[in-house]
Structures are given as structure tokens and as C-alpha cells.
Amino acid sequence: MASKSRDYAAKANPRNGRCRLISGNWKMNLNHLEAISLVQKLHYSFRESDYHFAEISVHPPFTSLRSIQLLLETDRVPISLGAQDCYFESSGAYTGEISASMLGKLGVRYVIVGHSERRELFGETDEIVAKKANAVIASQMTPIVCVGESMFQREEKQTETVIKSQVEAVVSSMSSELCEELVFAYEPKWAIGSGIPAESQDAVVGANAVRAAVSKYHGEMVANKVRVQYGGSVNSANAKEFLDQAEIDGLLVGGASLTAEAFTAIVQA
Ligand code: PEP
């Protein structure tokens, strides 16, 4: 694969000093051969300016991490490697689980924790999510902490309360130094995989609620360093509107990250 190499670090958004992060959560899709092919196509499609606009991460299933790591390192592809989950213990009798330190050894940079599918289908509580976030940090990676309300909670006007308690569970016992490195993804549950995205103003409300909860424990300066993505039915037609909001620092994309055409169109939107 042709190497674009050199300095492809994302530049800070001049409106707030934060670097955007656009992440593709592949969920339980694509085997390792398909995963390699997708990353090759993405790198071929991305322009140098795309890598400057935002850091781009892909989050394949665990079975593809090693293959993608080798591809990214060998061809010096400036896409960051991400995982979709991890366990909070570092090793031991936890059949089927993968530790954060194992992910760190694979060159993983970002680990999604507390995705709503994990919370709903696998019973992950705020406490477990907080432990996972801390395990990721302890292995020198960055957690992408997913928060967001259900449709029922939205209708009951509990959106900000739900976000507050989910964020507080993670940040309340963390040092400010570590907290400012966190990435949150505001993902209203009703928008995930539904084809019905939030309005950009709803996303701003969500991002503000995340920062208010961080600020309560660590002050405004730390809250303004924390990055907040929006996720939920993002596509090339709505991506720009979310990214135009100064409060939104990137996107967490599910379905539309599974083809090079759709994901590239979002990044270039
Ligand atoms: C997600 O899974 O985090 C997500 C946002 O999915 P989708 O983009 O398909 O709604």
C-alpha cells in the first residue's frame, strides 16, 4: 500500500483547542480479511487534509486487531487502532475476556467502554464502566466512554440527569490530570442504529451535560479539555452539521463505518 506517512497528526480545532476524533465502531462485523481490505481502502481514499482535520480511529472486533496493527505499522498508515471493549481485571480466570494491557500490547490507542449495547445486552453498570475506563487508562490508552439516554428517559426529560450520573460514575474518583484526557461519546440510545439521528442542538445539549458533570468535580478548565463525540445514525448527509458545532469534537459511527465509501464520505463531509 502506498505510504502517505510523515506528520499526519490532527490539528487542533481553532475554535476550542481540541483535536477532533472520528471513530468507526465496526461492532461484530467483518472478519480479519475483510477488515484488512477496508483499512486499505480507507487509507487509499483519505486525503492528507482528512488526517489533519481529525484523528481517525477504527474499532474492529478483537480477532482483527493484530492484522490491522501490522498493516498500520508496516505501511505507516496514520489511522489509530481502537477496540470496542475490554475487561477491567488485568489477568486471571475470566474465560472469554480480554484485558486492557493485552490491547495496549497490540498498539491499541482508544477503547470504547460502556457502549449502550454493552450496557443493555450484557448488563454493564456504571460501576463496571468506571472500572473499565480506569483499566484502559492504567494501560496508557484512552477510553471512549459512551453515555446517553433512552427514548423513555428523553420523553421524561431525564436526558441531562442520566448523562450526569453516567459521567460522574467515571470521573468522580479520577484525578483531574487523567480526566482531561478522556473522550466521551454522547450517544442517545434511540438514535443508535435507528436511522433517526439526534438534532445537532440535542447533541450540543448532551455535550454540555457531559462537561457540566466533569466541571463539578474537576473545574471548567478540565471540562473544556475533555473531548465529546456525537454518535447515533451519523451519515454523510448529517455529519457536517454535527462537526460544525464547537461543542462536538468528533463522531462515533456504527453502521456507516463499515464501507470505505460511507466512512470516507463522513470524514470528508
Ligand atoms: C454506535 O454503535 O456507536 C452507533 C452510533 O451506531 P450507528 O452509527 O449505526 O447508529
Side-chain angles (χ1 to χ4, degrees):
M1 198 195 311
S3 171
K4 295 187 182 174
S5 75
R6 294 186 307 279
D7 178 19
Y8 278 88
K11 296 197 163 83
N13 180 349
R15 294 166 77 188
N16 53 38
R18 299 186 293 263
C19 286
R20 298 183 188 88
L21 174 64
I22 301 181
S23 307
N25 173 17
W26 297 357
K27 311 194 186 194
M28 198 176 71
N29 293 295
L30 308 182
N31 62 42
H32 75 287
L33 299 173
E34 294 163 332
I36 290 169
S37 163
L38 176 52
V39 171
Q40 286 173 327
K41 284 186 194 155
L42 286 174
H43 186 49
Y44 184 77
S45 317
F46 290 147
R47 304 167 302 209
E48 186 168 339
S49 56
D50 298 330
Y51 291 116
H52 290 315
F53 174 72
E55 182 179 354
I56 298 162
S57 66
V58 292
H59 300 248
F62 291 131
T63 48
S64 300
L65 287 175
R66 177 67 176 154
S67 309
I68 305 282
Q69 177 199 19
L70 290 176
L71 172 65
L72 298 179
E73 287 178 2
T74 309
D75 290 349
R76 301 177 67 198
V77 178
I79 293 175
S80 297
L81 187 56
Q84 300 174 18
D85 185 32
C86 68
Y87 196 52
F88 52 78
E89 296 289 354
S90 52
S91 63
Y94 305 102
T95 303
E97 293 296 333
I98 306 283
S99 73
S101 62
M102 291 170 181
L103 297 177
K105 287 272 179 250
L106 286 167
V108 167
R109 202 175 154 137
Y110 293 98
V111 184
I112 298 170
V113 298
H115 190 280
S116 71
E117 286 151 16
R118 301 285 328 164
R119 291 180 191 259
E120 291 210 336
L121 303 174
F122 302 97
E124 286 192 11
T125 60
D126 283 347
E127 193 192 345
I128 292 174
V129 174
K131 283 185 179 176
K132 289 187 172 188
N134 279 297
V136 171
I137 292 168
S139 288
Q140 283 79 51
M141 298 174 290
T142 301
I144 298 178
V145 182
C146 298
V147 299
E149 82 289 358
S150 66
M151 181 51 92
F152 175 77
Q153 290 164 331
R154 174 179 164 85
E155 284 168 358
E156 295 291 308
K157 311 242 175 298
Q158 293 171 354
T159 298
E160 281 153 294
T161 318
V162 170
I163 295 173
K164 183 170 172 269
S165 68
Q166 290 174 334
V167 173
E168 282 186 1
V170 174
V171 304
S172 58
S173 56
M174 195 175 270
S175 72
S176 297
E177 205 186 351
L178 294 178
C179 188
E180 66 185 36
E181 300 295 328
L182 291 177
V183 177
F184 286 90
Y186 169 54
E187 298 207 300
K189 284 182 193 166
W190 47 270
I192 295 178
S194 65
I196 306 166
E199 298 288 327
S200 57
Q201 279 319 300
D202 292 328
V204 169
V205 168
N208 287 341
V210 169
R211 292 203 174 90
V214 172
S215 181
K216 181 178 159 196
Y217 290 89
H218 301 284
E220 215 170 312
M221 259 174 64
V222 171
N224 285 333
K225 287 190 177 166
V226 156
R227 291 184 286 172
V228 185
Q229 299 175 308
Y230 166 76
S233 298
V234 171
N235 57 39
S236 59
N238 60 35
K240 182 176 185 315
E241 169 136 23
F242 290 114
L243 291 169
D244 277 348
Q245 312 303 316
E247 294 83 353
I248 308 290
D249 305 308
L251 303 165
L252 181 53
V253 185
S257 68
L258 290 174
T259 66
E261 295 72 22
F263 196 50
T264 303
I266 287 171
V267 171
Q268 297 178 350

